[in-house]
Amino acid sequence: MTRAISTVHCDADAASSSLTGSALKSVRSVVAAPENEMKRWRRIFETNAKAVIDGEKYLDPDSFVNAIAPKSDSTKIGRAQFAILFRVADSSKRGLVSWDDFTVFETLLKRPDADYWIAFQYFDVDSSGTITFDEFKNVFLANVGPSAIPFDFDCDWVKLYLGRKNGTHVLGYNEFTQLMKGLQGERLRQAFKYLDKDQDGFIRPEEFKQIILEIAGHKLSDAVIERLPTLCTLTPSGRISYSEVVAFQNVIREMDMVERILREATAKSKDGRIDQSDFLNHSAAISRYALFTPMEASIIFHFAGRGSREKRLALLDFAQLLDPQWRAPHDVLEANEVRPKASLLQGVLKSAYGFVQGGIAGALGATIVYPIDMGKMQNQRSTVVGQMLYKNSIDCAQKIFRNEGLMGFYRGLGPQLIGVAPEKAIKLTVNDLVRGRAMDPETGRIKLGWELMAGGIAGGCQVIFTNPLEIVKIRLQIQGEAAKLEGAVKHGAAHIVRQLGVLGLYKGASACLLRDIPFSAIYFTAYSHLKKDVFHEGYNGKQLSFLETLGAAGIAGMPAAYLTTPADVVKTRLQVEARQGQTHYKGLTDAFVKINKEEGFKALFKGGPARVLRSSPQFGFTLLAYEYLQKYPWQGNKPEVKTALTTPKRDEMSQIRARNALKILLDVHGDFGRRAANFSHPLVKQAPPTASPSKSA
């Protein structure tokens, strides 16, 4: 319990009443742990405890690591290294952690400063609440190993914190936190001075690598570590200066801010890439003071660009610098090699499922908006006497309902649904295919020209199914009203197909191409940019909501539908069988000329508003369904940069703090704690039973 209570430090100057209040507050924090929290701790303890003595369970070092180590981590810290913390939890120094020890340790991890607190306890060998010069030195040396670059404990920097070497001054908790924060910088300075034998301000590339491996090797990926010696290429001398070493260390220390700047700058860039100027400009824009120097920026781009400083880099280029566990893509593929047969089968199934997705999504969208399609009035010819059936779209809907009932709004839906599966599957699949081929594999971006091309090709390919369906649908739709006026007999879709023949089913195909190619080109391009530029999909990992996806898909359909209305009007006129007294059209150009001459330019946009009302929700619901269907069961494995800032926090805060406490100790040396035998503290046997005399002062 004493280890959960704030220790009274000799360097503290607060009133005793405040110290007592702090201690009581810590006690209440321990006692007031929620019941569900205690149950969770008990479950973790019971699950992992292997040793049993006198009927009581205990955690040995291995089971302790299993209990506290994060299940998934984006760092290079091995699970075995968490055994360093065992010494802190083992308050009795018997090599086992009891249930009481475990609850105290978990309570310590709830402290907001748990990382520094646990590190302090590791150095505080005799649990006196302060650290002497000898304790700091002996714990340091016992954990770094004899091969480490020497550290001068008699330097002025150490004396500022700990006084003279004879230990007349001791280190309190608050002083210890500041010492640990600056220790890495002092180690770097001393290491450089030690390796710079001729004192000319330069060291060799392999010596620079040795320094970084000791103080920050656990923070870098293997790829960056292998390229550390290449830092010498930034200057003509072929060696590395002290300023470059300090700049590199500053980059590592501020890696979270580096990542934030890179993510935001690349997200705002039009091509998804940035250069050093973009990095520095964005850094200056989001901060009060300059965060990074030009040298630090050049180091970042040097390692991300693999030595090429002229390239504009994508976020994926920086992955090896941001992610300590990064591996080259071909290494990942070799490690996760899939059997060719299984891969081929999966590809076939995925393609088939894509067609099903398009069919379901298209059928849903078509069914929802099909009644609107009946009111477009595009076949109503204003110059033919007696053929002004409808005054407007509302009048059209009223007459259809009065003459044919509710089912009249869905006349011709059957053929539409039968053909909508291959039509939508082709359109969506071809668009995705072309975009995938034209997309930058690193940034995921695609040029505007290729976006328009992908949509246009998709629209052109769908006409092979669209045209026959359109002509049958239109003739089924218009024959209802004609039958009422002229007493004609209604015919089904099969009769219309036999009447037209194969070639007749493609009557008006040129107009259909003229409509569908620009429609798809405009639609898919607008949809993509609405998601990215308006709703900010992918910005800091954002995923669009249901309404945002529906809104983007619906809004994109408005300009695409209205701007292609003239082609749709001409297509409809060509596909409808002209009755006596109506104008006959020889072809696409003839139809455009005659409609404009006889009915005026506005006639080419007849039914435009209704077409917008139909196409916007139809493609809105179609794309919405398609987006959600794509998420299961095959999600695209898009290349992305996963780090501690983006990985979902599946671990408890106590596990995260345990990892952070270990990071502070590893900043002393990358192999910190590995030499401690049997997971016990190297100085336990030497520690006196009471506080050392030097601390009484």
Side-chain angles (χ1 to χ4, degrees):
M1 183 67 70
T2 58
R3 295 169 57 221
I5 302 176
S6 299
T7 306
V8 179
H9 303 141
C10 66
D11 61 329
D13 55 1
S16 59
S17 59
S18 64
L19 293 173
T20 304
S22 176
L24 291 175
K25 184 177 180 181
S26 297
V27 172
R28 286 196 298 269
S29 177
V30 176
V31 177
E35 183 180 4
N36 62 341
E37 183 178 71
M38 294 297 292
K39 287 183 178 180
R40 185 171 67 253
W41 292 351
R42 172 64 77 174
R43 174 176 51 80
I44 295 173
F45 181 84
E46 294 291 339
T47 301
N48 294 281
K50 305 299 181 183
V52 179
I53 300 176
D54 296 332
E56 292 189 16
K57 288 186 175 181
Y58 294 88
L59 293 171
D60 59 19
D62 290 335
S63 57
F64 175 79
V65 171
N66 293 332
I68 70 164
K71 300 300 181 290
S72 59
D73 201 356
S74 59
T75 67
K76 290 175 66 177
I77 300 176
R79 289 175 60 82
Q81 290 180 281
F82 280 87
I84 298 174
L85 304 179
F86 181 82
R87 208 280 309 177
V88 178
D90 182 17
S91 59
S92 62
K93 305 299 182 288
R94 57 188 167 186
L96 294 171
V97 171
S98 66
W99 162 244
D100 291 336
D101 292 334
F102 187 71
T103 56
V104 170
F105 183 79
E106 287 287 349
T107 303
L108 288 177
L109 291 178
K110 293 180 64 178
R111 293 177 59 104
D113 60 343
D115 40 13
Y116 279 101
W117 187 265
I118 291 177
F120 177 82
Q121 289 193 331
Y122 193 90
F123 276 86
D124 183 16
V125 178
D126 57 5
S127 301
S128 63
T130 55
I131 299 173
T132 65
F133 177 90
D134 289 333
E135 278 182 318
F136 177 74
K137 178 180 179 180
N138 292 335
V139 173
F140 183 101
L141 294 176
N143 285 277
V144 299
S147 60
I149 299 174
F151 182 78
D152 180 15
F153 291 91
D154 198 29
C155 65
D156 293 336
W157 183 85
V158 172
K159 290 178 181 179
L160 290 174
Y161 285 97
L162 284 159
R164 295 193 304 272
K165 187 174 181 180
N166 60 11
T168 57
H169 182 63
V170 293
L171 201 64
Y173 172 67
N174 291 328
E175 292 175 326
F176 172 81
T177 59
Q178 295 304 124
L179 177 142
M180 293 300 290
K181 187 174 182 179
L183 178 61
Q184 195 173 75
E186 176 62 17
R187 286 205 64 218
L188 184 145
R189 186 191 69 81
Q190 289 195 22
F192 187 92
K193 185 176 180 180
Y194 174 79
L195 295 173
D196 183 16
K197 302 299 183 182
D198 52 6
Q199 301 297 305
D200 64 348
F202 291 91
I203 58 175
R204 296 193 304 274
E206 62 271 17
E207 293 171 335
F208 165 69
K209 182 176 181 180
Q210 181 184 359
I211 294 175
I212 298 303
L213 283 177
E214 286 200 9
I215 65 175
H218 60 288
K219 298 180 179 179
L220 302 173
S221 67
D222 292 338
V224 173
I225 291 175
E226 290 300 319
R227 291 184 180 272
L228 285 176
T230 65
L231 189 62
C232 67
T233 61
L234 294 181
T235 56
S237 66
R239 295 190 296 167
I240 299 174
S241 67
Y242 178 68
S243 60
E244 289 172 325
V245 177
V246 172
F248 186 86
Q249 195 259 347
N250 289 342
V251 168
I252 298 174
R253 185 178 58 193
E254 301 293 339
M255 192 59 74
D256 286 343
M257 183 56 68
V258 170
E259 179 175 353
R260 176 189 169 187
I261 294 172
L262 291 174
R263 287 187 180 277
E264 293 181 358
T266 52
K268 292 181 178 180
S269 172
K270 291 184 178 180
D271 62 352
R273 297 175 179 270
I274 61 172
D275 54 22
Q276 292 184 37
S277 297
D278 297 326
F279 176 85
L280 291 172
N281 289 338
H282 191 76
S283 173
I286 66 171
S287 60
R288 184 175 299 177
Y289 307 106
L291 292 173
F292 300 98
T293 65
M295 177 179 286
E296 291 165 355
S298 66
I299 288 175
I300 293 171
F301 278 78
H302 169 77
F303 285 101
R306 301 168 182 82
S308 176
R309 288 178 283 174
E310 302 300 327
K311 292 172 57 178
R312 289 174 58 81
L313 303 179
L315 182 61
L316 281 177
D317 293 316
F318 298 95
Q320 59 183 311
L321 189 63
L322 300 175
D323 181 9
Q325 292 185 337
W326 183 89
R327 291 188 297 166
H330 67 272
D331 293 337
V332 177
L333 290 175
E334 290 177 0
N336 303 311
E337 200 170 29
V338 182
R339 293 191 302 271
K341 291 184 178 179
S343 179
L344 178 62
L345 177 61
Q346 185 181 23
V348 173
L349 292 176
K350 186 175 181 180
S351 299
Y353 184 69
F355 270 76
V356 175
Q357 288 176 334
I360 296 174
L364 176 63
T367 303
I368 292 175
V369 303
Y370 193 78
I372 301 176
D373 197 43
M374 293 290 292
K376 289 193 299 180
M377 306 190 307
Q378 288 178 338
N379 189 54
Q380 178 168 279
R381 310 189 185 205
S382 58
T383 60
V384 180
V385 179
Q387 293 299 314
M388 290 293 292
L389 301 180
Y390 318 117
K391 299 177 182 178
N392 49 48
S393 294
I394 296 177
D395 180 59
C396 175
Q398 290 175 341
K399 289 183 177 179
I400 291 175
F401 181 75
R402 183 171 58 251
N403 294 328
E404 303 181 64
L406 183 63
M407 295 303 296
F409 289 102
Y410 288 94
R411 183 176 300 278
L413 178 61
Q416 180 80 346
L417 294 182
I418 292 174
V420 79
E423 173 199 336
K424 297 303 180 187
I426 288 177
K427 173 182 282 191
L428 296 170
T429 303
V430 171
N431 177 70
D432 288 345
L433 178 63
V434 178
R435 287 180 68 92
R437 296 292 183 181
M439 188 178 295
D440 189 321
E442 295 180 342
T443 65
R445 302 294 179 97
I446 180 174
K447 294 182 179 179
L448 179 62
W450 276 108
E451 285 188 290
L452 295 170
M453 180 73 72
I457 293 175
C461 290
Q462 78 166 39
V463 172
I464 189 174
F465 282 95
T466 301
N467 208 82
L469 293 172
E470 290 279 350
I471 193 170
V472 173
K473 179 192 71 172
I474 290 171
R475 295 201 176 193
L476 284 172
Q477 286 177 336
I478 65 173
Q479 71 175 353
E481 279 297 322
K484 290 289 183 181
L485 291 175
E486 303 171 5
V489 179
K490 298 179 181 180
H491 299 290
H495 173 80
I496 295 175
V497 171
R498 288 195 301 269
Q499 182 185 34
L500 292 172
V502 176
L503 295 179
L505 289 174
Y506 286 94
K507 186 177 182 180
S510 56
C512 202
L513 287 170
L514 189 62
R515 178 198 66 178
D516 289 344
I517 289 178
F519 178 92
S520 296
I522 296 171
Y523 179 77
F524 285 115
T525 303
Y527 175 62
S528 175
H529 284 272
L530 281 168
K531 290 198 301 178
K532 180 183 65 176
D533 300 329
V534 177
F535 296 105
H536 304 295
E537 182 185 38
Y539 186 74
N540 287 336
K542 178 184 178 181
Q543 293 185 347
L544 298 189
S545 65
F546 178 92
L547 292 178
E548 286 175 327
T549 304
L550 180 61
I555 295 172
M558 295 179 181
Y562 193 77
L563 294 176
T564 56
T565 299
D568 194 44
V569 171
V570 171
K571 174 196 71 67
T572 302
R573 297 290 181 90
L574 291 174
Q575 290 179 336
V576 171
E577 182 179 7
R579 294 192 295 274
Q580 186 176 4
Q582 292 181 334
T583 303
H584 289 261
Y585 305 113
K586 299 178 182 179
L588 180 65
T589 305
D590 182 58
F592 266 112
V593 172
K594 287 182 178 179
I595 293 173
N596 183 52
K597 182 178 180 180
E598 296 175 359
E599 304 175 54
F601 182 75
K602 290 184 178 180
L604 291 172
F605 287 90
K606 186 177 294 184
R611 179 169 160 78
V612 170
L613 291 175
R614 176 184 69 89
S615 296
S616 178
Q618 177 182 5
F619 278 89
F621 285 106
T622 298
L623 263 294
L624 177 68
Y626 185 69
E627 292 277 9
Y628 277 86
L629 286 171
Q630 275 193 315
K631 296 180 179 180
Y632 180 84
W634 283 292
Q635 282 186 302
N637 295 322
K638 298 180 180 179
E640 55 182 338
V641 182
K642 294 183 178 181
T643 66
L645 296 184
T646 60
T647 304
K649 303 300 184 292
R650 299 185 177 91
D651 301 311
E652 296 183 15
M653 183 56 67
S654 61
Q655 293 176 319
I656 295 173
R657 285 176 176 154
R659 179 198 63 200
N660 291 343
L662 190 58
K663 284 182 178 180
I664 291 176
L665 294 173
L666 290 177
D667 280 347
V668 177
H669 193 283
D671 292 331
F672 190 91
R674 290 184 178 178
R675 298 180 66 247
N678 299 322
F679 299 95
S680 61
H681 198 283
L683 300 180
V684 169
K685 295 181 180 180
Q686 303 175 21
T690 59
S692 62
S694 62
K695 295 187 181 183
S696 60

